[in-house]
Amino acid sequence: MLGFVSRRTVVAAALATALSAVVSAQSMCTLVCPANITVPSLPGQQVSAALNYTVPVPNGCVATSATQTAGIPTGGQFAVGVTTNVFAAGIPPEASCQFTVTVTATPALPVPPTQVPVGGGALLAGLGLLTALGGAALLRRKPR
């Protein structure tokens, strides 16, 4: 019975071919994330403005979309510091990629003065003292 091939052998060969095709497809699968991003925070706050980035799209994968497994979605606000965003394509992941978003603290904008400027109070107090001592008459003199 040298020419006999069992059903098990045929099934095993078919499974090995299918597995080889899946492994081959997975080895061509790529997922490319954006470059690392650095942005300033909103002035005087601990978060960035809404930050939009391009969500990676699988190329050559069985999966047609990427899933974010860590980080903050596009359009979200990021806290001051570093956040790592991780994306994966497929279950189990055929490909994955990651990038960081760094938010640097920005000082608050200066508030325009609404009261007498610093030092102005001393000037007014000096004028009051001058007036109290009769100096107002000196200020009203006409030049010769």
Side-chain angles (χ1 to χ4, degrees), residues 17 20 30 57 73 82 94 111 142:
T17 301
S20 173
T30 59
V57 176
V82 179
E94 300 172 67
V111 178
K142 291 183 183 178

Side-chain angles (χ1 to χ4, degrees), residues 42-78:
L42 293 171
Q45 297 186 27
Q46 294 297 306
V47 295
S48 69
L51 178 67
N52 293 303
Y53 56 82
T54 303
V55 175
V57 176
N59 184 19
C61 306
V62 174
T64 58
S65 63
T67 302
Q68 188 165 12
T69 60
I72 298 172
T74 185
Q77 287 186 306
F78 288 75

Side-chain angles (χ1 to χ4, degrees), residues 28-115:
M28 294 184 299
C29 177
T30 59
L31 192 62
V32 179
C33 278
N36 293 337
I37 301 169
T38 300
V39 295
S41 70
L42 293 171
Q45 297 186 27
Q46 294 297 306
V47 295
S48 69
L51 178 67
N52 293 303
Y53 56 82
T54 303
V55 175
V57 176
N59 184 19
C61 306
V62 174
T64 58
S65 63
T67 302
Q68 188 165 12
T69 60
I72 298 172
T74 185
Q77 287 186 306
F78 288 75
V80 169
V82 179
T83 302
T84 301
N85 292 289
V86 181
F87 289 85
I91 300 175
E94 300 172 67
S96 64
C97 66
Q98 68 181 34
F99 68 99
T100 60
V101 174
T102 303
V103 179
T104 57
T106 303
L109 296 174
V111 178
T114 56
Q115 301 292 328

